[in-house]
Amino acid sequence: MAEPIKGVCVLGATGSIGVSTLDVVARHPERYRVVALTANRQVERLQQQCLEHSPRFAVMVDENAAEQLRQGLQQLGSATEVLSGGEGLEYVASLDEVDTVMAAIVGAAGLPPTLAAARHGKRVLLANKEALVMSGQLFMDEVHQHGAKLLPIDSEHNAIFQCMPVDFEQGLPQVGVRRILLTASGGPFRSTPLEQLAAVTPEQAVAHPNWSMGRKISVDSATMMNKGLEVIEACWLFKTTPANIQVVLHPQSVIHSMVEYADGSVLAQLGNPDMRTPIAHALAWPERIDSGVPSLDMFSVARLDFEEPDLQRFPCLRLSMEAMERGGTAPTILNAANEIAVEAFLDQRIGFTAIPEIIETTLTRLPANPADSLARIFDDDAAARAVAGEVVAGVRKP
Ligand code: NAD
Ligand code: MG
């Protein structure tokens, strides 16, 4: 008998991951039905997506944008119901008719609806790494307590998941895993002379050599904070510590990460750098479906290079590992300070090399508290944003 059609909710539908998700979903109408789409305030794009995918609900976080979308859709005869605000996001992520929630909102704003999906036992496809970085143990506890299935979308974590034995949740040493090799492209400034880094522009920073992504994660890739957040993300997803994770610079982004076993075997997952592969993997797991990604042409790839990361060039990587070792809300503070610093850099209020300085100062000024409640996590997130904002205001642009 054919499987019943799965209801899908895409949080952050208008973003880079959201668009790729809808591309994969639309290839399999016999498997998936779009139930809800959400965005912050991109009315036109969400309206277009509603016309293409006819979801039951659309959510715009911004109230005015929601009203615009409501009127637009009504005029076009669409039956999609428009909701608004953070409550709207949590509501659609929890609906009974939703089986799978793609968590692809950028930043801390994605935590409440992603957590709502976990609490309702959904299959959670996690792209929004900031949510896991800021709430770590609490998030994982909710997943386990409510029988949710967490599948990583971040290409590295998806690769690691694919290379892990099925019973990895027992603990890595127990299942014979020695360490994780987390690959990183090194971003656009991997070999830029250090003295030129202070003057790089947002346009240069968002021009990633291999991946096309949203602006925030592109800047994170340039500072390698993205890899730092990913080390933390991997610690929670695979129950390990930074000591068991080696970051490996691999400029071609063809190997998406590796797992090393006790016997010396190293398993890798390879593919074209296209997020539709991990998205299709997580949507259909444990089955495999077409993602629209073409075959990897080994002859044009020709070679694979590896380098050790330079912590002097990429202080954000060091700051992330230190925050994870420090524990409690230190990763929450790191993440919040980074969001503020990246926004200031994109607005051209600070230079590129001020980003790690702002994060480090914020981490030094604030205590890390036990991350044992959502209230505490949001308090420390807010405190870090306030401190980072003050530090930004005191920085002079180069
Ligand atoms: P993006 O900027 O392209 O899209 C972000 C989406 O979130 C948009 O739909 C936007 O409307 C929505 N959004 C933004 N602010 C919001 C708010 N305050 N409240 C509610 N919704 C809001 O980002 P992206 O590149 O698609 O990345 C999304 C997430 O996936 C990030 O956490 C990123 O780290 C992660 N990720 C992305 C990639 C990638 O290839 N793009 C790879 C790995 C992980
Ligand atoms: Mg990644």
Side-chain angles (χ1 to χ4, degrees):
M1 205 182 77
E3 287 268 317
I5 294 189
K6 298 264 193 300
V8 178
C9 162
V10 184
L11 302 170
T14 55
S16 162
I17 294 287
V19 168
S20 293
T21 303
L22 289 174
D23 180 284
V24 177
V25 163
R27 290 169 193 273
H28 304 279
E30 73 301 344
R31 282 178 177 262
Y32 307 111
R33 176 172 63 90
V34 179
V35 176
L37 296 176
T38 86
N40 196 19
R41 50 173 158 245
Q42 278 182 290
V43 177
E44 265 176 45
R45 195 172 234 186
L46 194 60
Q47 177 166 309
Q48 191 52 42
Q49 292 179 332
C50 287
L51 296 176
E52 273 171 41
H53 301 277
S54 310
R56 181 145 171 241
F57 296 100
V59 184
M60 301 253 41
V61 178
D62 184 86
E63 196 65 55
N64 292 328
E67 191 46 42
Q68 266 185 49
L69 180 67
R70 205 169 281 131
Q71 289 179 6
L73 285 175
Q74 210 166 29
Q75 276 169 16
L76 293 160
S78 156
T80 297
E81 187 178 331
V82 180
L83 310 175
S84 66
E87 323 78 64
L89 296 178
E90 291 188 46
Y91 177 77
V92 296
S94 315
L95 289 167
D96 280 346
E97 63 194 285
V98 166
D99 303 280
T100 299
V101 175
M102 166 55 82
I105 289 173
V106 59
L111 177 58
T114 307
L115 209 50
R119 285 180 176 148
H120 285 81
K122 305 300 184 196
R123 173 182 289 229
V124 180
L125 312 192
L126 187 74
N128 179 209
K129 66 192 90 189
E130 297 93 343
L132 187 56
V133 167
M134 67 186 284
S135 67
Q137 190 63 57
L138 201 102
F139 187 90
M140 295 307 291
D141 288 348
E142 296 282 3
V143 165
H144 293 130
Q145 204 176 323
H146 299 282
K149 182 72 203 167
L150 189 58
L151 289 156
I153 293 299
D154 217 339
S155 56
E156 296 76 3
H157 305 74
N158 184 271
I160 296 163
F161 181 92
Q162 294 197 46
C163 298
M164 280 284 174
V166 282
D167 52 352
F168 71 83
E169 287 186 354
Q170 290 180 26
L172 300 193
Q174 287 75 9
V175 297
V177 170
R178 195 186 273 162
R179 59 178 185 157
I180 289 171
L181 301 165
L182 184 69
T183 56
S185 70
F189 307 136
R190 184 174 52 88
S191 45
T192 306
L194 281 182
E195 65 279 7
Q196 287 176 20
L197 283 184
V200 299
T201 64
E203 285 60 43
Q204 290 171 305
V206 300
H208 196 278
N210 307 334
W211 297 93
S212 143
M213 310 180 286
R215 285 165 72 79
K216 192 261 176 184
I217 183 176
S218 297
V219 175
D220 285 348
S221 299
T223 60
M224 280 194 81
M225 176 54 91
N226 183 50
K227 210 50 53 182
L229 298 177
E230 289 184 0
V231 168
I232 300 175
E233 183 185 12
C235 287
W236 292 119
L237 287 172
F238 303 110
K239 279 214 277 198
T240 187
T241 60
N244 299 318
I245 301 174
Q246 174 65 54
V247 174
V248 177
L249 284 194
H250 165 47
Q252 290 92 354
S253 299
V254 166
I255 295 180
H256 300 310
S257 280
M258 298 168 264
V259 172
E260 183 183 310
Y261 285 81
D263 59 8
S265 298
V266 177
L267 302 195
Q269 186 261 0
L270 287 72
N272 286 311
D274 185 322
M275 291 306 291
R276 290 176 302 173
T277 293
I279 291 167
H281 169 266
L283 271 170
W285 180 86
E287 291 175 54
R288 297 276 180 172
I289 56 171
D290 174 40
S291 63
V293 177
S295 294
L296 179 64
D297 179 355
M298 287 303 217
F299 305 117
S300 69
V301 170
R303 55 182 283 179
L304 301 173
D305 293 313
F306 307 99
E307 289 168 28
E308 208 175 326
D310 172 356
L311 293 186
Q312 196 198 338
R313 175 181 292 274
F314 299 115
C316 287
L317 198 50
R318 168 180 59 80
L319 291 171
S320 305
M321 297 201 247
E322 286 171 4
M324 188 64 196
E325 301 284 6
R326 190 169 156 201
T329 54
T332 314
I333 296 167
L334 170 98
N335 176 64
N338 180 56
E339 288 192 30
I340 295 295
V342 170
E343 198 178 271
F345 169 69
L346 284 170
D347 288 351
Q348 306 198 335
R349 285 179 278 131
I350 60 166
F352 183 74
T353 46
I355 297 173
E357 290 166 18
I358 289 159
I359 300 165
E360 184 148 30
T361 308
T362 307
L363 278 163
T364 317
R365 286 203 198 158
L366 288 171
N369 293 299
D372 49 11
S373 75
L374 209 53
R376 169 60 85 187
I377 287 166
F378 277 113
D379 279 354
D380 285 12
D381 174 87
R385 281 168 203 272
V387 171
E390 282 167 27
V391 185
V392 164
V395 170
R396 200 165 312 142
K397 242 206 107 196

